[in-house]
Amino acid sequence: MSAVPGRPRRPDLPLAVVIGAGGMGSAVARRMAQTHRVLLADIDGDAAQAQADLLARDGADVYTLACDVTDTAAVAALSGMAQGLGGFRSLVHVAGLSIGADDFSKILSVNLRGPALVVAALRPLARAGANAVVIASLAAHSVRPSQALLEVLGTPLAPDLADRVTAVLGAEKATPAAAYALSKIGLLEMARREAMDWGRVGARIVSLSPGLIATPMGALAYQKSAGKRAMFEQSPLSREGSMSEIADAVEFLASDRASFISGTDLLVDGGLAAALGYPRD
Ligand SMILES: NC(=O)c1ccc[n+]([C@@H]2O[C@H](COP(=O)([O-])OP(=O)(O)OC[C@H]3O[C@@H](n4cnc5c(N)ncnc54)[C@H](O)[C@@H]3O)[C@@H](O)[C@H]2O)c1
């Protein structure tokens, strides 16, 4: 990439590919940009560019791409751009839809098939020390799916993923909330399943499950879900997590300090999953 006067370029830094320029994705991009060049991708290319402009003001070296993670051609373009930038050190997949998207099939597609496409497209570029962090959710820890469901969720690249999940789940249970939880369970499974392939070249893959985090998307979900408000009441620390607390965990998982952590999930929920097993009086 050629130099642009006034625009910081740091070819000496490794590349972090961050997917998602919403609340949490921007916080993650900002943190990763302290030690990496960043390729920031989002279906909303203008949102990604707006964040990149803010980060560039702080001296960060950021590239952007409009990329719908459910579109194989767009994901191939993402992989091509990462390759053109010399390959990546860290991939952080943050983008996702909330239950508020209100569409069973779309939530499964964006939250599970999309990250699976991105991971499959970037895996061939992974070298020793590279890592992938896929943002899942506390919701993945709230449901125990049947073996049959786990098997279907284990084939996230199937074009008819939503139909296959519905066939096992039953149409009456195919709600947006179910799609959200199952998509995130699928991400935990994906990190476990992919660890061997990433490990072959000395690379790692993990999922990270945020609990209730104060983001604009998270705030909207309170309006849609009485269950979420009830969960907040059970929170051991009596507060939501902040986006910088998620960025802290991502920064650790993407660093060499986490060099023996792969194929697992890190729950960053202030103890809420544990507390839900021990409700307050
Ligand atoms: N906020 C919370 O409390 C919370 C809790 C647990 C997990 N999460 C997860 O964290 C992630 C980010 O949450 P957030 O609050 O920052 O959400 P957000 O809505 O602010 O950001 C999501 C981003 O994803 C992008 N996006 C949507 N569809 C896309 C597609 N097809 N391709 C590429 N980009 C697409 C959107 O344009 C948006 O910029 C999500 O995966 C969410 O499920 C959030």
Side-chain angles (χ1 to χ4, degrees):
M1 295 282 158
S2 54
V4 178
R7 193 96 190 179
R9 284 294 175 235
R10 291 293 306 272
D12 52 311
L13 295 180
L15 183 73
V17 178
V18 179
I19 320 284
M24 213 181 282
S26 297
V28 166
R30 178 170 294 279
R31 183 66 61 84
M32 296 303 286
Q34 292 175 1
T35 46
H36 295 72
R37 289 172 294 141
V38 171
L39 168 51
L40 182 59
D42 195 290
I43 192 169
D44 183 343
D46 292 341
Q49 191 55 52
Q51 286 304 326
D53 291 344
L54 285 174
L55 294 175
R57 274 197 232 163
D58 289 348
D61 185 1
V62 186
Y63 305 81
T64 61
L65 184 69
C67 173
D68 175 350
V69 294
T70 66
D71 175 343
T72 45
V75 171
L78 173 75
S79 171
M81 190 165 173
Q83 188 165 21
L85 289 165
F88 73 99
R89 176 79 175 181
S90 296
L91 162 65
V92 192
H93 193 292
V94 191
L97 296 179
S98 74
I99 295 166
D102 224 16
D103 182 326
F104 180 83
S105 182
K106 199 167 175 197
I107 292 172
L108 270 174
S109 178
V110 173
N111 289 10
L112 178 54
R113 187 158 189 274
L117 284 171
V118 169
V119 164
L122 289 186
R123 191 202 305 115
L125 303 183
R127 300 287 175 263
N131 52 76
V133 181
V134 184
I135 299 298
S137 170
L138 166 66
H141 297 261
S142 62
V143 186
R144 278 188 209 284
S146 66
Q147 190 54 37
L149 256 180
L150 280 178
E151 279 168 24
V152 179
L153 295 173
T155 59
L157 294 177
D160 58 346
L161 176 67
D163 291 342
R164 291 158 63 111
V165 174
T166 305
V168 177
L169 193 63
E172 68 292 348
K173 291 189 184 158
T175 62
Y180 186 78
L182 293 175
S183 67
K184 299 299 191 178
I185 288 170
L187 295 183
L188 268 57
E189 290 296 313
M190 187 171 81
R192 289 195 194 112
R193 193 176 58 250
E194 288 271 333
M196 185 63 91
D197 284 340
W198 285 69
R200 277 195 191 95
V201 294
R204 303 180 291 109
I205 179 166
V206 293
S207 58
L208 186 164
S209 290
L212 303 180
I213 307 300
T215 71
M217 181 226 241
L220 278 179
Y222 281 105
Q223 294 164 17
K224 293 245 174 193
S225 163
K228 184 167 177 180
R229 284 194 297 278
M231 283 206 310
F232 178 76
E233 299 301 321
Q234 298 293 335
S235 200
L237 296 175
S238 302
R239 66 172 177 88
E240 293 180 297
S242 68
M243 290 184 264
S244 69
E245 288 173 308
I246 296 303
D248 286 338
V250 169
E251 185 178 31
F252 164 65
L253 288 172
S255 77
D256 287 341
R257 290 292 172 101
S259 52
F260 206 53
I261 303 179
S262 192
T264 192
D265 183 68
L266 179 63
L267 182 58
V268 184
D269 74 338
L272 181 53
L276 291 174
Y278 300 92
R280 285 179 183 169
D281 302 332

